[in-house]
Amino acid sequence: MVVAGLLAAAAPTLAQMGPKVRFANWEFELPPMMKQVEQTRDRLVLRLDPEIAGPGGGTITLRAGEPLKGDLAARVDAEWKQLVRNRKLAATDPAGTNSLADGSEGLRRSARLPGNGVLMLDAYRTPGGVNFMIIDAASEAAAQMIDGAAAMLTMTARLAPLTAVAGAGAAKPAPGASTAPQPPPAASDSMSRQLAAGGGMAPPGFSPPAPAPQRTADRDVEKIDVPRRDAARIKMVPTSAPNEKQLADFIRRIEGPVSQKLDQRARTLGDAALKEAKKRQFRANVIGNIAVGLWAMGNLEAAIYLMGKAVLEDPANVDNLNNYAALLTMAGGQHLALPILMKLEKDFPGNSTVLNNLAQAWFGLGEIGKAEEYVNKAIARFPGHSQANFAKAVVAESKGDKRGAVEAMRKSMAQGYSEEKEAQLERLGHKISEVDIQWNIKPRPEPLKLHKFLQLVPPYYKSAADIPRAAAEWQAFRETLRAALEALDRQGETMQQAAQQEFRRFASAAAAGKKRVSPMQVKYTVKHVTYGKLPERLHEQAARWAKDTEIVARKVDQLAQATQAIVNNPKLECAAKERAVTKFMTEANSLWEEHQRPGHLRAVIRWHEEWANLLQYYNTPGNASYQAALNGLKRNFLASLMHLNHEHNLGGPCGGPAVVQSGRRGPLPHFEDLKCDKNITFSVPTIGSFHVNCHYMSAEFNIAGVVSGTTKEDLITGEFVKGTLEVGITDRKGEKELIGGIAPVSAEGSVEAAGFIEFDKNGVSDVGVQITVKAGVSGVGGGIEAGATTRMGVNSGVSVEGSGVLTGVSSQTSWRD
């Protein structure tokens, strides 16, 4: 039975806890009413503030971890005998249990002191050893306060394995404790920026080896102004769409001047890629995909050069035409892009990709009226269009419509998250919440399938006659759990080592640009942690459960003390004592049964299941760290079952049954095998691939056998331009019906699967699967691989005034003369 922790007397809340304290392999947050008064190699003493406690005072002494030989209970009993030697005790309490926030199980011995003080000894099992906490309070008031402080301390306390501690009692952070690890060297993009630890957000039983991605602390966010009207370039744009011949002539005239404006290295790379493509007899559609891949890898100018060659080869390929126009717009060639887009709009009226690109081209020229017209058309066709809504927000703010700007930017961020959009919303004064960030991957409802463990819980017995059976069944129940916990402890040490190695590998790969934090992880963390505060909610649930347990424990303590007095009365007959014990068991176990009823236990299960889903994206750079986290969750759940309370230790039946029934409870159910199953790969022939999963994103490329590597520094510029790439896999029939905003121009009527990659100036900011129809392709957020039959559509984004190398290229149109 747990000695009641008087939390009601402890006014400060968990949110008001003091600084984090690290001592040996202990780590906890200092309760505000406690002060450190002594620290040696093997112990740390905290004293209750005398202004709060009054006369008597009290202390909490933490002992450094010690190797454990033999049974924990025997070790506790021996320690308790030493502690109470030469101490005058008023009464000894029944043995009890306790636990720390990380699930470390503890055995408790306690006694009442004269003056209603209290003396307690808690021994906590940790992999490889045991830690001690000694509570000594001289008065009733001090006992109440220090008991509450101890309860608050245990709600935050974590223990590293003793094998991870360099010397017992070393007063320094334990390598395995949940301290904030140093961030890896900054990668060459902002998505791997400033990794920061979860700050106490890890679940009990898990010391996260990898930090969660956080937003840049101080962002210098500037308002995006609409460009001034560029009358000279607007004058170059025709008033009507060209026909096929006119468009082909136009492209032939501009391709040379455009190419000459591009960097020589970009042209060299493009020529090499084109030569290899010709050698492999690739057609224009594949060459166009290679060009799009170059843009996606951060090489806009090489992409423009190669795409120009692709459209020269096949001026009728509408995907290449659209993508060429989008790339021209990104490089300041809006006036060059518009004739192409006007022809596409004529042939494919209502296509959201074309409409957006028309809007962005007119926006870049400062023709805001026409830009707004096409923005509205694109949004009417595809209400969540990421780039069109971004442009709408900029235009709305320029007109003083702040509310409209916020609403449009919210829609843009819901479709494709980026830090820039988040920052713009903050600048506009919008208080971002988790509803602003869309997450369309459904979490597993019961990833660990913990409900099947409830069959292990023995009945709650209400009669003294049932004590032998109750003792046998509850002992067998705990022995089953203890064996499972020991197995998890053995696995956990290996898993933590693997997780630490994985973190180091990830940090090294991030520094080299080979890997970065997954956009899925960033998005999930921003939604559920930065704004949704899911971990805080989960911790609040755990704190409420602990508080409710303390309340029930107090009531049971009162019942136990009254019953113990009857049982200890030598003048009463056995039958009277048995009736008193039966009455106690009925009342006490009814309290525990109500508190620990299946409904409450299912709430505990939901708590662990939610953590299992959260950690798939949060604080885990790969499967090894995820498995370490799951191991901690499994251990914590079994520990919570281990600490279920049942009263059967007071007295016994008069002439009970001669044979005690077997206490076997059956085999322990198996935990589910969980791994990240969210993998999205976009592969471009002869260019490379993006691979994104729950934990990280990597990009590998081999550009036509000419340039290969894994870092964007290996490419020409490594400069990303804002936009959205839509990828659609079709049935190859080439239908051109419109379904709106889901796939590129030529694929909109025959899409079997489609996904998107969102780019900002730092690279990939979001990625996902929009629709899957093809048999065998997993659902939203599952897997999709884009290959040779892929159709790609580029949506250009908002341009900054005067940006791009193509602003000075002349564009005279023959059908306008």
Side-chain angles (χ1 to χ4, degrees):
M1 181 173 61
V2 179
V3 176
L6 302 179
L7 282 176
T13 65
L14 283 173
Q16 297 170 307
M17 296 290 280
K20 187 168 290 186
V21 176
R22 299 179 181 91
F23 160 69
N25 65 330
W26 285 91
E27 180 180 88
F28 58 94
E29 292 180 38
L30 185 67
M33 69 279 289
M34 305 300 297
K35 294 183 178 181
Q36 298 184 57
V37 294
E38 180 183 352
Q39 179 172 340
T40 64
R41 181 175 177 80
D42 59 0
R43 73 172 190 163
L44 174 68
V45 180
L46 308 176
R47 186 177 301 280
L48 192 64
D49 189 334
E51 295 182 2
I52 299 176
T59 59
I60 299 177
T61 301
L62 303 179
R63 291 257 298 275
E66 302 172 8
L68 175 61
K69 296 181 180 179
D71 183 68
L72 178 64
R75 180 75 174 86
V76 175
D77 289 337
E79 192 73 22
W80 178 247
K81 288 180 181 179
Q82 291 292 328
L83 183 64
V84 300
R85 180 176 295 176
N86 301 323
R87 295 292 298 266
K88 185 176 182 180
L89 306 180
T92 301
D93 296 314
T97 60
N98 203 0
S99 63
L100 302 180
D102 65 359
S104 299
E105 66 170 347
L107 298 182
R108 171 169 286 185
R109 302 291 183 266
S110 61
R112 305 292 174 178
L113 302 175
N116 291 323
V118 66
L119 181 66
M120 295 184 192
L121 172 69
D122 283 342
Y124 297 103
R125 184 193 299 270
T126 186
V130 59
N131 282 53
F132 291 99
M133 176 189 294
I134 301 168
I135 298 174
D136 195 345
S139 66
E140 181 177 8
Q144 290 180 353
M145 295 302 296
I146 204 166
D147 198 9
M152 296 171 71
L153 185 154
T154 59
M155 287 182 190
T156 65
R158 290 173 168 79
L159 299 176
L162 292 184
T163 54
V165 180
K172 60 182 180 180
S178 56
T179 58
Q182 293 298 312
S188 54
D189 57 77
S190 74
M191 294 295 283
S192 295
R193 66 197 177 276
Q194 296 300 310
L195 300 180
M201 293 298 101
F206 172 57
S207 299
Q214 300 290 332
R215 299 169 301 133
T216 304
D218 298 313
R219 292 179 287 188
D220 185 15
V221 184
E222 296 183 357
K223 176 178 176 290
I224 300 176
D225 294 318
V226 297
R228 288 173 294 187
R229 191 174 186 276
D230 191 333
R233 286 198 295 156
I234 291 173
K235 189 176 180 180
M236 298 181 190
V237 180
T239 56
S240 61
N243 58 34
E244 285 78 3
K245 183 180 182 305
Q246 290 169 334
L247 181 60
D249 290 340
F250 173 73
I251 290 173
R252 279 193 294 270
R253 279 203 312 274
I254 68 167
E255 191 275 333
V258 165
S259 296
Q260 290 303 311
K261 281 284 187 178
L262 303 175
D263 186 277
Q264 178 60 50
R265 293 177 301 166
R267 299 200 301 270
T268 300
L269 176 57
D271 283 333
L274 183 62
K275 180 180 179 181
E276 183 65 21
K278 293 293 186 179
K279 179 180 177 181
R280 301 188 190 186
Q281 298 183 337
F282 287 151
R283 294 185 177 180
N285 67 309
V286 178
I287 297 174
N289 281 356
I290 297 173
V292 173
L294 283 168
W295 165 67
M297 294 292 180
N299 282 259
L300 173 61
E301 294 192 31
I304 293 172
Y305 182 84
L306 188 58
M307 188 65 79
K309 303 303 181 184
V311 295
L312 282 178
E313 179 174 321
D314 184 7
N317 186 299
V318 292
D319 285 336
N320 284 350
L321 287 172
N322 169 76
N323 297 340
Y324 190 43
L327 297 174
L328 291 173
T329 297
M330 294 178 188
Q334 295 90 348
H335 57 302
L336 307 173
L338 278 167
I340 303 172
L341 295 169
M342 291 165 68
K343 176 65 167 66
L344 290 176
E345 185 197 14
K346 181 180 178 181
D347 293 343
F348 302 95
N351 181 277
S352 62
T353 300
V354 174
L355 292 170
N356 169 73
N357 288 338
L358 278 163
Q360 303 297 349
W362 284 117
F363 180 92
L365 293 177
E367 192 70 285
I368 304 305
K370 286 189 176 181
E372 195 170 16
E373 173 189 346
Y374 284 109
V375 159
N376 291 334
K377 287 181 179 180
I379 292 174
R381 186 64 175 164
F382 184 8
H385 199 293
S386 172
Q387 301 301 338
N389 274 293
F390 194 106
K392 185 178 180 68
V394 174
V395 173
E397 186 179 8
S398 72
K399 295 182 175 182
D401 183 7
K402 190 174 181 179
R403 180 179 297 181
V406 167
E407 185 60 27
M409 193 64 74
R410 289 182 66 196
K411 290 180 179 178
S412 179
M413 189 165 72
Q415 180 61 30
Y417 169 80
S418 76
E419 184 183 12
E420 179 185 19
K421 297 174 186 178
E422 180 190 354
Q424 289 294 332
L425 279 173
E426 289 179 343
R427 184 188 60 78
L428 287 166
H430 174 65
K431 187 176 181 181
I432 300 174
S433 69
E434 61 182 314
V435 300
D436 290 313
I437 301 168
Q438 189 177 33
W439 183 259
N440 57 8
I441 299 175
K442 292 183 179 180
R444 299 183 185 94
E446 292 183 341
L448 294 173
K449 301 292 189 295
L450 297 178
H451 64 277
K452 57 191 176 185
F453 289 84
L454 295 183
Q455 64 184 345
L456 295 175
V457 181
Y460 288 84
Y461 292 98
K462 310 292 175 62
S463 170
D466 291 324
I467 285 179
R469 180 187 306 169
E473 292 194 5
W474 279 85
Q475 180 180 355
F477 168 64
R478 292 194 170 99
E479 287 176 351
T480 299
L481 295 175
R482 184 174 293 110
L485 285 166
E486 290 174 353
L488 288 174
D489 285 343
R490 291 191 295 270
Q491 297 169 10
E493 292 184 26
T494 302
M495 287 181 170
Q496 284 284 4
Q497 292 174 3
Q500 294 287 351
Q501 291 174 0
E502 182 176 72
F503 174 59
R504 287 192 290 269
R505 288 195 301 269
F506 177 82
S508 176
K514 297 179 180 180
K515 286 185 180 180
R516 51 187 279 196
V517 173
S518 168
M520 297 167 69
Q521 184 179 2
V522 173
K523 186 176 179 180
Y524 191 94
T525 301
V526 171
K527 177 178 177 65
H528 291 297
V529 180
T530 303
Y531 296 117
K533 310 301 181 185
L534 176 59
E536 285 92 336
R537 179 172 63 80
L538 294 176
H539 278 292
E540 287 171 2
Q541 290 175 356
R544 286 196 300 269
W545 176 263
K547 185 175 182 180
D548 290 345
T549 302
E550 290 290 340
I551 292 172
V552 175
R554 264 202 315 275
K555 295 177 181 179
V556 173
D557 272 351
Q558 294 170 358
L559 294 172
Q561 291 175 27
T563 306
Q564 191 72 59
I566 296 174
V567 171
N568 293 340
N569 189 342
K571 297 180 180 180
L572 291 179
E573 297 179 354
C574 181
K577 296 180 180 181
E578 184 175 332
R579 287 193 298 271
V581 172
T582 294
K583 181 175 183 294
F584 165 70
M585 290 180 65
T586 299
E587 294 177 355
N589 284 334
S590 293
L591 286 170
W592 286 128
E593 186 175 21
E594 171 63 19
H595 175 58
Q596 299 164 172
R597 66 186 185 275
H600 277 190
L601 289 178
R602 290 192 181 97
V604 175
I605 286 173
R606 285 196 301 273
W607 188 89
H608 288 83
E609 302 283 18
E610 284 190 89
W611 265 113
N613 279 321
L614 170 64
L615 285 166
Q616 191 170 11
Y617 301 97
Y618 178 73
N619 264 0
T620 54
N623 189 60
S625 54
Y626 183 43
Q627 294 306 315
L630 291 178
N631 184 271
L633 281 175
K634 294 171 185 177
R635 193 196 187 287
N636 188 73
F637 176 69
L638 294 185
S640 69
L641 293 183
M642 172 79 81
H643 298 148
L644 292 179
N645 289 276
H646 183 273
E647 306 301 326
H648 53 261
N649 294 327
L650 287 181
C654 296
V659 179
V660 176
Q661 296 185 8
S662 171
R664 295 178 182 175
R665 299 299 303 167
L668 190 76
H670 293 292
F671 289 101
E672 297 298 309
D673 183 20
L674 295 177
K675 292 183 179 180
C676 170
D677 61 356
K678 305 298 184 294
N679 296 284
I680 301 174
T681 298
F682 295 94
S683 298
V684 185
T686 76
I687 183 72
S689 64
F690 283 103
H691 178 72
V692 182
N693 65 18
C694 309
H695 312 292
Y696 63 84
M697 186 191 81
S698 59
E700 300 177 358
F701 55 87
N702 187 331
I703 304 174
V706 179
V707 178
S708 64
T710 53
T711 71
K712 69 182 185 182
E713 285 77 10
D714 293 329
L715 299 178
I716 301 301
T717 63
E719 294 178 356
F720 293 95
V721 181
K722 181 165 49 185
T724 304
L725 172 61
E726 293 175 328
V727 182
I729 300 175
T730 74
D731 61 5
R732 304 189 186 186
K733 293 179 182 179
E735 292 93 338
K736 298 178 181 179
E737 302 169 16
L738 297 176
I739 60 175
I742 297 299
V745 180
S746 68
E748 280 197 329
S750 55
V751 69
E752 293 181 350
F756 72 92
I757 310 177
E758 181 95 0
F759 294 88
D760 63 13
K761 63 181 180 179
N762 301 303
V764 178
S765 61
D766 201 357
V767 62
V769 177
Q770 293 173 314
I771 184 173
T772 55
V773 181
K774 183 179 180 180
V777 179
S778 55
V780 172
I784 177 174
E785 182 162 348
T789 62
T790 300
R791 302 291 186 267
M792 297 187 180
V794 178
N795 285 265
S796 55
V798 167
S799 304
V800 179
E801 181 179 346
S803 63
V805 299
L806 303 180
T807 54
V809 176
S810 177
S811 170
Q812 297 301 323
T813 52
S814 59
W815 66 94
R816 182 174 177 169
D817 295 338

